[in-house]
Amino acid sequence: MNDIDPRPQDTLRAELTELLPPPAVPEFAPDRERELRRSLMAAARPARPAVWWTRKAVRFAVPAVVCGVAAGAVLVAAPPEPRDQRPVVRAEGASALLSRAALAAASAPAPDARPEEFVYVESLVSRAGRPADGGAVVVEPAHRRQVWLSADGSRAGLLREEGAADEELSPRLPVYELEHRGAEPRRTFLEPEGPSVTAPTHAFVAGLPTDPEALLRLVREQTRASGGDADQRAFTAIGTLLAETWAPPEVTAALFEAAARIPGVVTVPSARDAADREGVAVARTSGGERTQWVFDRSTSAFLGERTVLAVASDAGPAGTVLSGTAVLAKAAVARAGQLPG
C-alpha cells in the first residue's frame, strides 16, 4: 500500500512550483504583431454604420440600441420593400452616374480644416439587430450621430450618438501586458502606426492620389489584409471615406471615378437614405447583401448609404433593410464637442 504524504496540499503545491521553471510568455511573430496593432487601432476609430444583426443570443449588438430600449424607445420590424416597389437593379449606367457625382464633387467648396482643428461630421444612422429571444430582425429608429476627428490625428476625438454615452476617440490605444503568469498586468499604449485608408486622418485624405487608377490601387493594397471579396472591400472602403471624412473636391471626384472601375457596380433607380431622402443609387452585392450609395437625383450629391438583403436569409426576406446612414453636415471646428456656426 502506498504511503500518503501527510503534508498539506498547499505546501506540496508550493514546493513543486519552486522546482518548475516559470511558464513562457507567448509572443507574436513580428508580422502577426503588426497585423494585430493595425486591427486594434482601426477598431479604436469610428467606422461607418455596419450591419449589426447577429445569430447569437444577445440583446442587441449595438449599445445605443440597448440604451434606447431602456429609455422606452420603440423598435419596429425592418420589413422588406413591397414586392411591386422593390428597386430594379440595372447593370448599365453606374459609370455615368458616378461620373456625374464626380463632376458635382469637383465643383463643391474645399474643406478649410487646419491641422490643429477637428473635422466634424453629422449624420443620421439606423442599424438592424436581433432580439435576445430570437425572432425577426428589428431596426432601431434613425438617430443623430456626431463625430469630431483631429485633423492631423494628434489629439483625441469624440463620438456622440443618441442613446449612448460619449466615447473618446484616442489616437493611442491602451493595452495591458502580462510579463508572466500571475504577474500584475502592466498598462501600456499602442502607438498609431500612421494613417491609412482604413484609419484615415483629414491630412491623409487630403493627400490621396487624384488619379482614379492610382487611388484604386492604393485602396486595394491597404484593404488586402481584411480578406474576403477584394472588390467589395474596395467598394466598402471608398464608401466609408465618402461618408466619414471631408476630402478635397478633387479627391472626392477621384473616389467616385475609382469606384466606377470596380467590377459588379450597378445602378438602382430609386433608393432612400436614413433621412428618407429619395434618390438614385449605385450598388454592389456581396455575401447576399447589397450596399447602396444614394445620390440626389438632380444634383448628383452624395446623400448616404444603406445595406439591404439581396436574397432571403434568416435575417429576413430579400429587400430587408439592414442599415442606413444620411450625411447631414461636414465642417471644421476648433475643439472636440464644438458645433459648427
Side-chain angles (χ1 to χ4, degrees):
M1 185 173 180
N2 295 332
D3 293 333
I4 298 176
D5 196 320
R7 289 176 294 175
Q9 291 296 316
D10 290 344
T11 302
L12 292 173
R13 188 178 295 109
E15 292 179 358
L16 289 173
T17 301
E18 291 178 357
L19 295 174
L20 295 174
V25 180
E27 295 183 357
F28 291 114
D31 290 345
R32 174 57 180 156
E33 183 177 354
R34 284 194 295 271
E35 179 182 349
L36 180 61
R37 284 175 174 268
R38 283 195 298 269
S39 300
L40 289 173
M41 294 309 300
R45 295 177 180 269
R48 71 184 182 94
V51 178
W52 289 98
W53 70 275
T54 175
R55 298 180 184 179
K56 296 180 181 179
V58 296
R59 180 63 180 174
F60 286 99
V62 187
V65 180
V66 177
C67 296
V69 172
V74 177
L75 295 178
V76 296
E81 298 167 351
R83 185 174 300 276
D84 57 350
Q85 295 182 17
R86 287 185 192 167
V88 178
V89 177
R90 298 174 180 170
E92 71 278 2
S95 294
L97 175 55
L98 288 167
S99 293
R100 291 196 299 272
L103 287 173
S107 60
D112 58 356
R114 295 188 294 271
E116 69 276 10
E117 293 184 320
F118 289 80
V119 171
Y120 169 80
V121 179
E122 180 180 348
S123 56
L124 289 179
V125 297
S126 178
R127 309 180 188 91
R130 189 183 294 281
D133 56 358
V137 169
V138 295
V139 62
E140 58 183 341
H143 58 277
R144 187 166 65 165
R145 178 180 183 271
Q146 300 164 290
V147 63
W148 291 262
L149 294 176
S150 171
D152 63 3
S154 64
R155 285 167 293 280
L158 177 66
L159 173 64
R160 180 171 292 163
E161 192 165 340
E162 290 179 0
D166 288 358
E167 180 182 346
E168 183 182 83
L169 304 173
S170 174
R172 303 172 70 220
L173 184 66
V175 295
Y176 292 86
E177 295 183 354
L178 190 65
E179 294 183 355
H180 59 80
R181 188 174 299 173
E184 287 291 330
R186 182 166 56 88
R187 190 169 189 252
T188 60
F189 290 90
L190 281 180
E191 297 293 340
E193 290 190 349
S196 65
V197 167
T198 56
T201 62
H202 179 70
F204 174 83
V205 173
L208 285 173
T210 56
D211 175 73
E213 292 287 353
L215 180 55
L216 183 57
R217 283 197 302 271
L218 177 66
V219 170
R220 290 188 184 281
E221 289 171 3
Q222 296 196 358
T223 57
R224 185 175 298 153
S226 303
D229 183 342
D231 290 327
Q232 188 65 20
R233 292 199 309 265
F235 188 77
T236 299
I238 292 175
T240 301
L241 291 171
L242 292 170
E244 292 287 324
T245 68
W246 194 18
E250 60 274 16
V251 172
T252 303
L255 288 169
F256 288 131
E257 295 287 4
R261 290 162 167 75
I262 299 175
V265 179
V266 299
T267 57
V268 179
S270 180
R272 293 183 179 274
D273 66 6
D276 202 34
R277 298 178 296 193
E278 193 273 341
V280 62
V282 297
R284 194 177 189 284
T285 302
S286 180
E289 298 173 5
R290 180 173 296 122
T291 301
Q292 303 175 348
W293 302 347
V294 186
F295 297 90
D296 184 276
R297 192 177 296 279
S298 59
T299 66
S300 297
F302 178 81
L303 299 179
E305 298 179 273
R306 74 172 185 172
T307 302
V308 301
L309 285 178
V311 295
S313 72
D314 60 353
T320 299
V321 179
L322 297 177
S323 67
T325 182
V327 180
L328 302 181
K330 295 182 181 181
V333 294
R335 63 183 184 278
Q338 179 183 357
L339 296 177

